[in-house]
Amino acid sequence: MEGSSETGADLSRAYFGQVVRPLLAAHDAGLEVAAARLGSGSDVLGFDDAQSRDHDWGLRLTVLVEDDRAPEIDALLESELPETWQGFPTRFATTWDPVVRQRVEVASAAGFAASRLGADPSRGLTLPDWLSLTGQSVLEVTAGPVFHDGPGVLTRIREGLAWYPDDVWRYALAADWSRLGQEFPDVGRAGLRGDEDGSAVIAARHVRTMLHIAHLLHRRWPPYGKWLARSAARLPGGGALRIALHEVLRAQDWRSRQAALADAAELLAMIQGEQGLPTMEPATEPFFERPHIGVREMAELLTAQIRDPEVRALPVGVGTAEQISDNVSVLVDPALRRRLVGG
């Protein structure tokens, strides 16, 4: 199928319907499974293209079975799947596993979710569990298409991961606004000292934080860095935010750069109000007597609305694991993420 425009999700759906499902039914007509394209890969997010096919793309699928039958079903598929289907190999190595084997991931629904999240969401998530999540880890469970959910367990897990509890949501938003406020004036300060490169680097950090805020405001889990801007552009009003942030990144001098950043901050503050959250208009202000711009008490407004005593006791401005660190090796490891947030 070289040159085909078929997406990874399309391929997985057909693979399940035409190959995997009939094979499972022939093995056990009463077997209840859930099948979906979950886990890693740009195709889970719907962002795959022709270039995506050079690694880890192909006949991938997640099949979820209960009652400790995962090893049995995995062995069956390894033994009975054809060598190829529609011109694609059914067995291949991946970047995380050099072994050539079939790539239908078989697990229980709770086990699969826990492998991504670091906790079993079917038992309810604690505050440290919520804080240790990354948007990408949740998307690996919730973003991909579901082809069949006989037991209904996967559907219930995905519904439970729809979004943060309200007070955790406010805490995470406040952490992002706090991060902006800490270095917002430094875009101008570095520029005023003749360090345009330093000013641009700081501004780029703020752009990433603003893209994260945009996802939080719209209750959408943010993907990892490669797709963060593209995902933000799909949010309601994402086109306007995209234009504002492009102005920041294209700016050739610190004055226009900090002005564009302030415009983007005001846009986010407006969206925050539209979402029924407390906000300020304007959200930015002059920074003392200097020709720089600061952020007003947006974080404090959000923190004041938190009622859960456990969330109120969290350190102000620290946030979730993905707000604390952008180290990929940490963010892909649930145990290391948990160490970041304690608990």
Side-chain angles (χ1 to χ4, degrees), residues 103-183:
R103 293 299 166 181
V104 178
E105 183 176 7
V106 187
S108 68
F112 174 82
S115 73
R116 265 57 187 182
L117 307 176
D120 179 358
S122 66
R123 298 184 177 182
L125 297 178
T126 65
L127 178 57
D129 292 336
W130 284 110
L131 295 175
S132 70
L133 299 180
T134 64
Q136 179 64 32
S137 70
V138 178
L139 290 170
E140 290 188 6
V141 180
T142 64
V146 176
F147 311 133
H148 179 70
D149 188 11
V153 181
L154 176 60
T155 298
R156 291 191 291 275
I157 285 175
R158 285 163 66 114
E159 288 172 349
L161 292 169
W163 193 237
Y164 290 118
D166 279 352
D167 279 351
V168 181
W169 176 38
R170 287 170 171 78
Y171 174 73
L173 266 172
D176 271 344
W177 280 110
S178 178
R179 179 170 181 166
L180 283 182
Q182 289 166 351
E183 291 189 328

Side-chain angles (χ1 to χ4, degrees), residues 16-17 19-33 69 73 76-77:
F16 172 67
V19 179
V20 176
R21 188 172 191 173
L23 194 158
L24 295 178
H27 172 71
D28 183 345
L31 181 65
E32 288 280 7
V33 306
R69 296 192 64 182
I73 300 305
L76 170 74
L77 294 173

Side-chain angles (χ1 to χ4, degrees), residues 12-332:
S12 296
R13 182 185 298 276
Y15 185 44
F16 172 67
Q18 299 178 37
V19 179
V20 176
R21 188 172 191 173
L23 194 158
L24 295 178
H27 172 71
D28 183 345
L31 181 65
E32 288 280 7
V33 306
R37 176 65 185 99
L38 307 178
S40 63
S42 302
D43 47 324
V44 173
L45 303 177
F47 291 148
D48 56 314
D49 56 18
Q51 186 171 324
S52 303
R53 302 183 181 201
D54 65 357
H55 69 285
D56 299 342
W57 190 97
L59 296 177
R60 294 179 61 188
L61 185 67
T62 303
V63 168
L64 305 174
V65 296
E66 306 307 314
D67 302 322
D68 300 318
R69 296 192 64 182
E72 168 200 345
I73 300 305
D74 179 69
L76 170 74
L77 294 173
E78 182 63 34
S79 172
E80 299 297 328
L81 283 171
E83 290 301 311
T84 64
W85 183 73
Q86 296 291 317
F88 293 98
T90 61
R91 296 168 179 81
F92 51 96
T94 63
T95 53
W96 65 89
D97 180 8
V99 177
V100 175
R101 72 180 315 275
Q102 68 88 11
R103 293 299 166 181
V104 178
E105 183 176 7
V106 187
S108 68
F112 174 82
S115 73
R116 265 57 187 182
L117 307 176
D120 179 358
S122 66
R123 298 184 177 182
L125 297 178
T126 65
L127 178 57
D129 292 336
W130 284 110
L131 295 175
S132 70
L133 299 180
T134 64
Q136 179 64 32
S137 70
V138 178
L139 290 170
E140 290 188 6
V141 180
T142 64
V146 176
F147 311 133
H148 179 70
D149 188 11
V153 181
L154 176 60
T155 298
R156 291 191 291 275
I157 285 175
R158 285 163 66 114
E159 288 172 349
L161 292 169
W163 193 237
Y164 290 118
D166 279 352
D167 279 351
V168 181
W169 176 38
R170 287 170 171 78
Y171 174 73
L173 266 172
D176 271 344
W177 280 110
S178 178
R179 179 170 181 166
L180 283 182
Q182 289 166 351
E183 291 189 328
F184 213 79
D186 294 348
V187 173
R189 178 59 175 154
L192 190 64
R193 294 289 294 181
D195 185 5
E196 288 288 358
D197 292 342
S199 172
V201 168
I202 298 167
R205 283 163 49 85
H206 291 326
V207 166
R208 182 163 183 158
T209 301
M210 288 177 163
L211 291 170
H212 194 264
I213 289 176
H215 283 84
L216 295 186
L217 287 174
H218 289 290
R219 299 179 175 88
R220 305 284 179 85
W221 295 107
Y224 71 111
K226 179 168 66 171
W227 301 121
L228 186 62
R230 183 168 181 177
S231 176
R234 292 184 173 184
L235 298 172
L241 180 63
R242 181 172 178 269
I243 291 171
L245 295 179
H246 273 192
E247 290 301 313
V248 177
L249 297 175
R250 286 198 296 254
Q252 298 300 304
D253 64 90
W254 67 268
R255 291 184 185 275
S256 56
R257 187 177 299 119
Q258 74 170 8
L261 269 174
D263 289 343
E266 299 297 348
L267 177 59
L268 290 172
M270 181 185 69
I271 295 171
Q272 185 160 300
E274 292 171 350
Q275 295 299 315
L277 294 166
T279 193
M280 288 183 169
E281 295 183 15
T284 58
E285 62 185 357
F287 186 70
F288 295 98
E289 301 300 319
R290 302 178 181 185
H292 311 323
I293 298 174
V295 174
R296 296 178 68 195
E297 296 80 11
M298 297 286 290
E300 288 80 356
L301 276 181
L302 290 159
T303 301
Q305 283 201 340
I306 295 173
R307 296 291 176 259
D308 185 325
E310 191 178 8
V311 181
R312 287 189 66 85
L314 292 171
V316 176
V318 174
T320 66
E322 69 183 2
Q323 293 173 301
I324 296 170
S325 175
D326 60 3
N327 185 304
V328 174
S329 297
V330 172
L331 296 183
V332 299

